[in-house]
Amino acid sequence: MKRQPTPDHLLLDQQLCFALYAASRSVTGLYRPLLEPLGLTYPQYLVMLVLWEQDGLTVRELGQRLQLDSGTLTPLLKRLQTAGLVSRQRRKEDEREVDIRLTDAGLALRDKASGIPECLAQCMQLSLDQMQTLRDELKRLTRQIQLPPSED
Amino acid sequence: MKRQPTPDHLLLDQQLCFALYAASRSVTGLYRPLLEPLGLTYPQYLVMLVLWEQDGLTVRELGQRLQLDSGTLTPLLKRLQTAGLVSRQRRKEDEREVDIRLTDAGLALRDKASGIPECLAQCMQLSLDQMQTLRDELKRLTRQIQLPPSED
DNA sequence: CAAAATTGAATTGTACACAATTTAATTTTG
DNA sequence: CAAAATTAAATTGTGTACAATTCAATTTTG
């Protein structure tokens, strides 16, 4: 009774998903030593990127931009608040919403972060063109996936 | 005193890292409803893929294949054991190593999983060729990143 | 060969992710 | 307008990730 070999399509090295998962974690790992001096984790850095771009968003708006829900963002934002980088305030117009704003320290941190993208680009050994192409392919993939699998 | 606009290279939409991070989480999300009937999470599915391919690896070998450490794998493997899908046994030759083996149920699960890759391919709306190209680009990126940033 | 160094898992502690529920505020509707 | 429905955060619970430490087993070395 010989055991059937695994069919090709179940081989780990065939999986796009694993290539994505591994690449994402590897890149995040590259950020770690660069963000550590700023006192930020990678997801916290993403939140800061959004706020540096547009300050004063609600938790919901941040979540839409990063595709994260309040279960992830609420504790993360509390840590950023404890670190003195953002403030959290209920909105006057609608008390259900919480306004996230950069503090002076949070805004100032942008300067210390401004060298990071270039540093990363070097670490990844890709040309600017290669990076843009790959990035846009991944965006397209994410966009197409956005439509749910088969919710009838 | 007007606030400086964020420089282009700090814009979220410019980041390859975020495109990767978002795509990876989106794809994992696609797996969720497919793996739920099998009682697996996505990282658990990856472990099963490795074991279906080669049974009887140590925690360390699994970790090398998936780029995960014992802090992640030990609890994950205990859950797979509790689910009756794998066994964990100290190796006779070297008692430090723990051998992970599929149970009959673990091996049997492969048949129920065999349709998943095709299902995913459809959800991603990519041709087989596009998938392979993207996968190989990501593998190359991960491989290049493997070399540490600048550990002198 | 015994002390020192190394190795492999496990453990501890922090920080995501995300489903599901809860709570409070607002909007809709009969 | 008041009850019902909806919405936004927060909370709860489970499961990763990963750094750092611990512990036991094996290797290396003086």
Side-chain angles (χ1 to χ4, degrees):
Chain A
M1 194 59 156
K2 193 152 188 315
R3 179 180 289 190
Q4 295 296 319
T6 292
D8 278 4
H9 59 277
L10 282 182
L11 297 177
L12 184 68
D13 289 340
Q14 298 279 330
Q15 311 300 316
L16 172 54
C17 65
F18 177 63
L20 258 173
Y21 170 79
S24 178
R25 285 190 299 119
S26 280
V27 171
T28 301
L30 274 182
Y31 276 92
R32 224 180 306 279
L34 301 176
L35 292 175
E36 201 242 278
L38 310 195
L40 293 176
T41 64
Y42 177 68
Q44 288 169 10
Y45 172 67
L46 292 180
V47 167
M48 295 303 284
L49 285 182
V50 174
L51 292 174
W52 286 329
E53 199 170 324
Q54 184 181 3
D55 197 3
L57 296 174
T58 64
V59 174
R60 185 180 57 80
E61 288 165 333
L62 273 171
Q64 285 175 343
R65 200 85 170 78
L66 297 171
Q67 320 229 238
L68 293 170
D69 70 6
S70 69
T72 301
L73 286 174
T74 297
L76 186 158
L77 292 167
K78 284 183 179 175
R79 285 188 276 274
L80 289 180
Q81 182 181 34
T82 301
L85 300 174
V86 307
S87 66
R88 297 160 64 245
Q89 283 242 42
R90 293 276 165 189
R91 279 223 169 131
K92 284 289 167 339
E93 317 89 280
D94 186 338
E95 291 267 5
R96 288 172 302 184
E97 300 185 312
V98 172
D99 221 341
I100 308 299
R101 294 198 159 276
L102 292 169
T103 61
D104 291 345
L107 180 56
L109 201 64
R110 190 178 61 176
D111 290 339
K112 286 197 227 163
S114 65
I116 290 182
E118 199 188 348
C119 186
L120 255 288
Q122 289 202 351
C123 289
M124 294 197 282
Q125 311 254 48
L126 296 180
S127 71
L128 199 59
D129 199 50
Q130 287 174 312
M131 284 185 56
Q132 289 174 355
T133 305
L134 182 53
R135 182 196 67 204
D136 292 342
E137 286 178 55
L138 292 168
K139 280 191 192 182
R140 190 163 59 80
L141 178 60
T142 303
R143 220 180 311 119
Q144 285 179 346
I145 282 173
Q146 224 64 314
L147 347 161
S150 65
E151 303 282 330
D152 302 1
Chain B
M1 193 60 155
K2 194 150 184 317
R3 176 180 290 188
Q4 295 296 318
T6 291
D8 277 5
H9 58 277
L10 282 181
L11 297 178
L12 184 69
D13 288 341
Q14 299 279 330
Q15 311 300 315
L16 172 53
C17 65
F18 177 62
L20 257 173
Y21 169 80
S24 178
R25 285 190 300 117
S26 280
V27 171
T28 301
L30 274 183
Y31 277 92
R32 222 181 307 280
L34 301 176
L35 292 175
E36 201 242 279
L38 311 195
L40 293 175
T41 64
Y42 177 68
Q44 290 169 7
Y45 171 67
L46 293 180
V47 167
M48 296 302 285
L49 285 183
V50 174
L51 292 174
W52 286 329
E53 200 169 325
Q54 184 180 3
D55 198 2
L57 297 173
T58 65
V59 174
R60 185 181 57 80
E61 289 165 333
L62 272 171
Q64 285 175 343
R65 200 85 171 78
L66 298 172
Q67 322 228 234
L68 293 170
D69 71 5
S70 69
T72 301
L73 285 175
T74 297
L76 186 158
L77 292 167
K78 285 184 179 175
R79 282 180 211 108
L80 288 180
Q81 184 180 32
T82 301
L85 299 174
V86 307
S87 65
R88 297 160 63 244
Q89 282 242 43
R90 294 275 164 192
R91 278 222 170 132
K92 285 287 167 338
E93 317 89 278
D94 187 337
E95 291 268 5
R96 288 172 302 186
E97 300 186 313
V98 172
D99 221 342
I100 308 297
R101 293 197 159 277
L102 292 170
T103 61
D104 291 346
L107 179 56
L109 202 63
R110 191 178 60 176
D111 290 340
K112 284 198 229 163
S114 65
I116 291 182
E118 197 189 349
C119 187
L120 254 289
Q122 289 203 349
C123 288
M124 295 196 283
Q125 311 254 48
L126 296 180
S127 71
L128 200 58
D129 197 52
Q130 286 174 313
M131 282 185 57
Q132 288 174 356
T133 304
L134 182 54
R135 183 195 65 203
D136 293 342
E137 286 177 55
L138 292 169
K139 280 191 192 181
R140 189 163 60 79
L141 177 60
T142 303
R143 219 180 312 119
Q144 284 179 346
I145 282 174
Q146 225 63 315
L147 346 161
S150 65
E151 303 282 328
D152 302 0

